[in-house]
Amino acid sequence: MPSTRPTRVLIIGYVWPEPRSSAAGGHMMQIIESFLQQGWHITFSSPAGIGEHKADLATLGIDEVSIALNNSSFDTFITELAPDIVLFDRFMMEEQFGWRVEKHCPQALRVLETSDLQSLRDARQQQLKARLKLDADTDDFSSLFAPAQRETFEQMAVTDLAQREIAAIYRCDLNLMISEYEIDLLVEHFKVPRALLHWCPLMVDSVPGQFVPFDQRQHFLSIGNFRHAPNWDAVLWMKTAIWPLIRQQLPTAQLHVYGAYTPPKATALHNPAQGFHVLNWAEDALEVMSNARICMAPLRFGAGIKGKIADAMLCGTPNVTTPVGAEGMHGDLPWAGAIEQSASAIAAAAVQLYQSPDAWHQAQQHGTALLAQRYLQSTHGPALVECIEACRAGLQQHRRNNFTGAMLRHHQHKSTQYMSQWIEAKNRTV
């Protein structure tokens, strides 16, 4: 008789998911929902502390288990759980726990939720720092926004972070990629087999048919977790360069800046006289987005795709962003607002959209079309499950085809295992 037990999934989270604080948290909950729709039994574990905006997983029937780094208690836990699928939330969790999973549950499918390529984001941040060091007063960042992928690869490839992250990708059976740009970068330049990568973007349940009208909206809006470095940099750029240009043309305009975990350095930027309002965390991000006229997302570096922009489209709110902000989000379809490369061009586009009902409505329609064609849960949820099931069905051959991954697991897991065991032994003697 075949087993009738439901498929067991263990998720090892870098943090506990906070869908209202970050796009990464929202994406994790979308993946979880896709699994729940299959009737799979999910256990979510993490070595992190509990954040103030953590999702209530228990109400969804998900078991919550706190785990410890460098501690053999995890071995007993995973052996007893015997999961069929283990999903690592970001590559650092694969580094920490991958060797333990392979040792105690060798037949479990190992999946990595990359969230975005952190080594890509870090390389771009270093490029920005170098550009600002060369010319702190520059207005045009087109040289940062349009490098060839080969140039980006060469800057990433020499970094420790990229070597660690790409190694983790090779060691896993399947990697969930949120951006098609990143898939192309991995396949064409890092030579990662395409069979190891699955496009799994942000997902929406449906596309709204009605929005708050243009003439009932007011103000510009920016939103994003302040712990995410690209968001903080974007706020600084708006404060120092972009917003003054907008206020020159719209003297009574207001910008409302929302973000989880607002630090004192951000609060210090609050200046109502300049129309620059730092308003901390939004209790309902979609509500404030729906009542804003323009979403500002002037990201000078970053990776993946942007939750704030997907939310803007979901609320019918045109956005103004950069090539980094729009990367991987629209394919060949028209953009839901404007994509610009300098402070002056961003300000001009924002003012034009703010004042023109025709341009504003056209951008809104583009956003609706984007969501319908690229982001529906009804498309991507089943595709994710189908890909996972196909990998499980042919796992033995799938792993034989990935010799580089097997080689990296053999060497990396040994060194990681011995380091972890040394730390655990050391901790017992303290």
Side-chain angles (χ1 to χ4, degrees):
M1 292 288 292
S3 173
T4 58
R5 76 162 199 173
T7 297
R8 296 182 185 178
V9 181
L10 171 64
I11 300 174
I12 304 177
Y14 178 66
V15 295
W16 296 93
E18 295 189 7
R20 295 192 297 166
S21 298
S22 71
H27 194 232
M28 176 54 69
M29 295 306 297
Q30 294 156 9
I31 292 169
I32 286 174
E33 177 60 29
S34 299
F35 294 168
L36 290 174
Q37 289 175 359
Q38 301 302 309
W40 294 355
H41 184 275
I42 302 174
T43 299
F44 196 103
S45 62
S46 178
I50 302 295
E52 59 184 287
H53 306 304
K54 170 186 167 293
D56 187 357
L57 301 176
T59 61
L60 299 174
I62 297 170
D63 295 332
E64 300 180 8
V65 179
S66 293
I67 54 178
L69 299 172
N70 305 307
N71 194 305
S72 56
S73 61
F74 180 85
D75 302 345
T76 303
F77 160 65
I78 195 170
T79 300
E80 293 176 350
L81 183 64
D84 303 293
I85 301 164
V86 177
L87 189 148
F88 304 101
D89 174 27
R90 282 166 271 196
F91 81 91
M92 297 82 78
M93 293 298 95
E94 190 280 336
E95 286 184 327
Q96 286 285 343
F97 295 100
W99 68 271
R100 294 184 187 273
V101 171
E102 181 169 18
K103 180 177 180 181
H104 298 286
C105 296
Q107 292 309 308
L109 184 76
R110 297 183 290 269
V111 182
L112 176 59
E113 155 63 342
T114 60
S115 183
D116 61 25
L117 280 181
Q118 296 184 42
S119 51
L120 173 60
R121 185 202 321 151
D122 182 71
R124 287 174 167 168
Q125 185 174 13
Q126 300 313 313
Q127 291 170 356
L128 174 62
K129 288 180 178 179
R131 183 74 176 89
L132 293 175
K133 186 176 181 179
L134 184 67
D135 182 4
D137 296 323
T138 185
D139 175 62
D140 189 349
F141 293 91
S142 56
S143 61
L144 293 181
F145 295 141
Q149 274 198 350
R150 181 69 194 181
E151 180 183 342
T152 300
F153 161 74
E154 290 177 352
Q155 292 174 336
M156 292 172 62
V158 296
T159 66
D160 175 75
L161 186 60
Q163 291 167 13
R164 290 172 53 200
E165 187 169 29
I166 305 305
I169 287 172
Y170 267 106
R171 288 194 298 265
C172 288
D173 299 312
L174 186 65
N175 299 271
L176 308 186
M177 306 301 302
I178 204 166
S179 165
E180 293 164 306
Y181 174 90
E182 294 178 1
I183 292 176
D184 291 341
L185 180 65
L186 291 175
V187 171
E188 297 300 324
H189 298 284
F190 288 96
K191 305 305 179 184
V192 176
R194 191 172 288 273
L196 298 183
L197 308 174
H198 176 74
W199 181 45
C200 183
L202 300 173
M203 300 178 237
V204 299
D205 292 332
S206 60
V207 181
Q210 292 185 324
F211 305 106
V212 177
F214 173 87
D215 57 5
Q216 293 180 25
R217 296 180 182 231
Q218 58 182 344
H219 309 320
F220 296 84
L221 175 140
S222 172
I223 193 165
N225 191 325
F226 279 106
R227 289 180 175 174
H228 191 53
N231 292 337
W232 169 238
D233 176 75
V235 170
L236 281 178
W237 195 26
M238 282 191 289
K239 174 70 173 182
T240 59
I242 298 169
W243 188 243
L245 296 174
I246 292 176
R247 286 278 285 193
Q248 285 177 12
Q249 300 175 70
L250 301 174
T252 62
Q254 295 185 44
L255 172 63
H256 292 173
V257 181
Y258 293 91
Y261 302 105
T262 309
K265 63 182 180 181
T267 305
L269 301 180
H270 180 71
N271 191 324
Q274 298 174 352
F276 198 96
H277 302 265
V278 179
L279 300 172
N280 300 313
W281 186 64
E283 185 70 30
D284 187 335
L286 295 183
E287 181 181 2
V288 297
M289 184 73 81
S290 293
N291 288 296
R293 190 173 288 181
I294 303 295
C295 172
M296 302 294 294
L299 296 156
R300 291 191 287 189
F301 69 96
I305 62 176
K306 313 306 177 290
K308 62 177 71 61
I309 293 177
D311 284 347
M313 292 189 288
L314 193 62
C315 296
T317 307
N319 75 85
V320 181
T321 189
T322 65
V324 166
E327 181 180 274
M329 292 204 70
H330 63 118
D332 296 327
L333 298 174
W335 187 244
I339 305 169
E340 302 294 348
Q341 303 188 37
S342 67
S344 55
I346 289 170
V351 169
Q352 197 266 341
L353 278 169
Y354 195 89
Q355 294 182 311
S356 171
D358 290 342
W360 190 89
H361 281 110
Q362 184 180 55
Q364 184 181 80
Q365 292 166 7
H366 290 163
T368 301
L370 271 173
L371 290 178
Q373 295 187 47
R374 291 176 61 87
Y375 295 101
L376 287 180
Q377 172 102 25
S378 58
T379 298
H380 293 289
L384 171 60
V385 170
E386 182 181 353
C387 183
I388 287 174
E389 293 288 29
C391 282
R392 289 184 65 198
L395 186 57
Q396 192 172 10
Q397 185 62 48
H398 184 76
R399 287 179 174 171
R400 275 200 295 265
N401 293 342
N402 181 21
F403 176 79
T404 301
M407 178 176 61
L408 288 169
R409 288 198 307 274
H410 173 78
H411 292 287
Q412 176 67 18
H413 284 345
K414 291 299 182 184
S415 59
T416 305
Q417 173 183 346
Y418 296 144
M419 175 60 74
S420 179
Q421 290 173 338
W422 178 81
I423 292 173
E424 183 176 9
K426 185 174 181 292
N427 289 340
R428 284 198 296 264
T429 64
V430 174

